[in-house]
Amino acid sequence: MFYYDAHCHLQDRRLKPFLPEIVDAISRSNIKLISVCGSEEKDWQDVAELSKKYNWIVPSFGVHPWYVKDISNHWFDNLLKYLDEYNCGVGEIGLDTWIKGYDIELQEAVFVRQLKIAAERNIPASIHCVKAWDRLVKILKTNPLPRCGFLIHSYGGLKNYIKPLYELGTYFSFPGYYANEKKVEQRESFKEIPIERLLIETDAPDQLPPDFLNKHPLFDENRKRPLNHPLNLIPIYEFTAQLLGLHKLHEIVEENFLRLFSDVIGGRSE
């Protein structure tokens, strides 16, 4: 029985003080593969180094919508260098109108350019979307998409978006954060997700699950802010299986993960 994390940020600076212990714990667990996504130019090399050291990491490189204002003049050329050198996906990319001072036009321009390169190379994209669902669906309908499919991580859209997104090739990943009591609408949406497109994620160190799922408590260096430990993936699986009534969740997620990431895994699953 193996576990697959569809979206994680092991390179995050908040995890660095604990990374040796985290890596050791993952290596001794039944976690088989983790999709580790870059968020901005300055963390791509950290993702790359991790993927070279640990064969259970599936890397992706991209510019998150929160950081589009920080891109260099050569950001796309830099991205291409990583895409040329590594078996990888594109991500984390997307749209977000929840953050203060967002520039949706710039977000869209950066997103579309990254989406197109994922389509050209037929590699999976990991997409972030918050409060921009109509815009996202329109972009996906009017631009080339990877034939292998793409992931909307921590899917938080309404039920009515599921069918059109499914038809476009979307995979949907469930985070432990949605086990929080207030996330009723998100849990109900996941009951409508076709099981052949279902994935599980931690989004560590973010999206902390509620206490009853947080089996591996972790705090930042100042012990002021709790962090989501990647090993919480295992209780998240257990919660999701119960929520959706899927006794064979492990087999379903394994098949879906390997299908989506098949062309960028290489020998990592061996």
Side-chain angles (χ1 to χ4, degrees):
M1 183 181 296
F2 296 112
Y3 301 87
Y4 298 80
D5 190 339
H7 190 94
C8 182
H9 298 282
L10 276 181
Q11 84 285 2
D12 191 287
R13 59 177 177 77
R14 292 168 291 171
L15 292 180
K16 283 187 177 180
F18 318 105
L19 200 55
E21 293 84 357
I22 290 172
V23 164
D24 180 64
I26 292 172
S27 299
R28 290 185 288 103
S29 75
N30 284 340
I31 295 176
K32 188 75 168 180
L33 292 170
I34 297 179
S35 172
V36 175
C37 295
S39 299
E40 52 185 327
E41 283 179 89
K42 65 183 181 182
D43 76 359
W44 294 347
Q45 188 57 34
D46 290 335
V47 174
E49 292 298 326
L50 285 170
S51 74
K52 285 190 289 188
K53 290 178 69 175
Y54 308 110
N55 68 356
W56 40 264
I57 289 178
V58 182
S60 289
F61 304 95
V63 177
H64 189 290
W66 291 2
Y67 305 114
V68 294
K69 294 181 180 180
D70 301 326
I71 56 175
S72 71
N73 292 333
H74 307 290
W75 75 272
F76 193 70
D77 290 335
N78 292 336
L79 176 61
L80 292 179
K81 290 177 183 177
Y82 284 96
L83 299 186
D84 287 342
E85 185 173 351
Y86 296 90
N87 289 328
C88 62
V90 175
E92 179 176 355
I93 64 177
L95 304 174
D96 192 319
T97 65
W98 173 75
I99 57 171
K100 293 181 179 180
Y102 66 86
D103 183 337
I104 193 61
E105 286 75 22
L106 179 58
Q107 285 188 17
E108 288 188 3
V110 174
F111 173 51
V112 168
R113 199 165 186 191
Q114 295 178 101
L115 184 64
K116 285 183 176 179
I117 195 64
E120 288 174 13
R121 298 185 178 218
N122 191 32
I123 54 178
S126 187
I127 296 174
H128 167 110
C129 184
V130 178
K131 296 186 180 298
W133 293 102
D134 288 336
R135 285 178 177 268
L136 176 66
V137 172
K138 181 178 179 181
I139 288 173
L140 295 176
K141 285 184 174 180
T142 55
N143 284 278
L145 301 173
R147 297 183 304 281
C148 63
F150 54 91
L151 171 69
I152 296 182
H153 95 91
S154 299
Y155 177 71
L158 299 174
K159 291 181 182 179
N160 62 292
Y161 290 110
I162 294 173
K163 186 174 185 292
L165 288 170
Y166 172 87
E167 292 173 347
L168 290 166
T170 302
Y171 287 72
F172 308 79
S173 60
F174 185 87
Y177 182 68
Y178 288 174
N180 280 287
E181 185 177 355
K182 64 181 180 179
K183 294 296 180 179
V184 176
E185 192 171 62
Q186 288 81 358
R187 291 195 296 275
E188 290 302 308
S189 287
F190 265 88
K191 293 178 182 179
E192 305 297 323
I193 301 294
I195 61 171
E196 68 272 17
R197 298 288 181 80
L198 174 66
L199 291 169
I200 309 294
E201 67 167 92
T202 61
D203 199 23
D206 294 312
Q207 297 211 72
L208 187 72
D211 289 345
F212 73 93
L213 284 186
N214 187 16
K215 304 297 185 181
H216 303 274
L218 184 66
F219 290 84
D220 65 14
E221 282 188 292
N222 298 319
R223 296 199 60 81
K224 291 182 179 180
R225 183 177 178 182
L227 303 175
N228 187 9
H229 195 297
L231 244 64
N232 282 326
L233 179 68
I234 295 171
I236 293 169
Y237 260 76
E238 295 169 356
F239 176 86
T240 309
Q242 184 176 16
L243 172 70
L244 303 180
L246 294 174
H247 300 296
K248 295 185 177 181
L249 178 70
H250 292 82
E251 292 89 340
I252 292 167
V253 171
E254 179 175 60
E255 182 177 345
N256 294 347
F257 188 102
L258 297 179
R259 186 190 314 116
L260 176 60
F261 291 98
S262 60
D263 289 339
V264 299
I265 288 174
R268 293 178 184 276
S269 61
E270 297 176 357

